[in-house]
Amino acid sequence: MLRKDLKAVFGGDVRLAISAVFLTLEEFLARPRVKEELEDFCRTRGYDVLVIMTVSFNEKKEPSRQLAVYSPCSHFKELVSCALEKSEAPSLQLLPMYSPSSEIAAYSQGNRLASRKKVLPIIEILLKALETKGATAMHGCHGWKETSNIAQMVPTSCADICQDEDLQLPPTPMNSLVDGCPLDGGLPKLTPEDILEKINQMPGKRLAGTPCSDSH
């Protein structure tokens, strides 16, 4: 199911996959051993993070979108979840949903027009920032592959990054959610260096070489 419509993106050694699933998120997460299934899927293919975008349709053929972020490493999960939650170009209008595991962040998506094509640039700018910093340092953050060399640039809570006013993307123009909008060419020019400079300026918000623990 996850392999049928899959897009993989990379930033340094960080590997992320986005899978489109034509099912409600409640139905998907209610499947037996869903966490183990996601873990096995990512481990065998070398993905650090998996973003699942679901779409279903009501009687009027109107789409309903939901989204989940899975990673065995809480810092990867928080970083990607934060980027999606705080995005304003476009705003996904995410609301938290019930999740059967702490390794899965689940959301309903109010912006029904934000398909994977619109979400992908949000992920790409985050991965580009990690690649510029040197993502090999982050590759030790695996729930199934512990090392002592975790990234120094990942704060204990990625909300510390997202709450920085200087990092907020400009509001989405009113006409930006229709096809052919000005944002189709990509996100505003916020460079990875700008993001990482802000991260490095936050006192006391760096990890001290502690690997993610294996959550089983």
Side-chain angles (χ1 to χ4, degrees):
M1 180 183 299
L2 294 171
R3 292 178 295 175
K4 289 183 179 179
D5 192 356
L6 186 73
K7 173 76 173 180
V9 290
F10 313 97
D13 285 345
V14 180
R15 299 167 59 90
L16 183 147
I18 305 179
S19 179
V21 175
F22 293 91
L23 194 69
T24 68
L25 189 57
E26 291 91 343
E27 291 172 318
F28 181 86
L29 295 179
R31 301 192 308 164
R33 297 177 56 82
V34 65
K35 194 206 80 166
E36 289 79 6
E37 176 188 348
L38 296 178
E39 179 178 343
D40 182 67
F41 182 85
C42 290
R43 179 178 5 198
T44 56
R45 291 162 180 80
Y47 297 134
D48 300 293
V49 187
L50 175 64
V51 177
I52 303 163
M53 298 188 68
T54 71
V55 59
S56 56
F57 297 88
N58 60 21
E59 309 79 36
K60 298 180 180 180
K61 306 300 181 181
E62 297 171 332
S64 174
R65 295 187 183 274
Q66 297 164 304
L67 183 150
V69 179
Y70 165 79
S71 179
C73 175
S74 62
H75 300 290
F76 277 137
K77 186 195 71 175
E78 288 179 9
L79 203 61
V80 174
S81 297
C82 178
L84 297 175
E85 288 176 16
K86 300 299 182 179
S87 172
E88 296 183 5
S91 169
L92 303 182
Q93 302 170 20
L94 299 180
L95 293 176
M97 292 174 49
Y98 166 77
S99 170
S101 169
S102 61
E103 297 176 7
I104 305 171
Y107 303 92
S108 63
Q109 181 180 316
N111 184 353
R112 297 182 299 178
L113 296 179
S115 63
R116 185 171 62 185
K117 179 181 177 181
K118 301 291 185 180
V119 171
L120 190 57
I122 305 171
I123 300 296
E124 289 177 332
I125 195 172
L126 175 63
L127 294 183
K128 187 176 181 181
L130 300 180
E131 182 176 17
T132 302
K133 176 68 178 180
T136 52
M138 292 190 67
H139 205 54
C141 190
H142 280 293
W144 53 76
K145 188 178 181 181
E146 295 185 2
T147 75
S148 60
N149 186 27
I150 196 171
Q152 296 298 307
M153 54 79 66
V154 183
T156 53
S157 172
C158 98
D160 296 325
I161 304 173
C162 297
Q163 291 173 358
D164 190 324
E165 293 181 357
D166 292 339
L167 292 182
Q168 298 298 319
L169 297 175
T172 307
M174 290 298 293
N175 66 342
S176 66
L177 297 181
V178 298
D179 290 337
C181 76
L183 293 176
D184 282 345
L187 295 179
K189 300 300 182 181
L190 181 64
T191 68
E193 289 77 11
D194 294 335
I195 298 174
L196 296 173
E197 180 181 356
K198 290 298 180 182
I199 295 173
N200 290 329
Q201 289 175 354
M202 291 186 291
K205 293 298 182 182
R206 297 185 179 187
L207 294 177
T210 304
C212 287
S213 59
D214 194 352
S215 300
H216 287 291

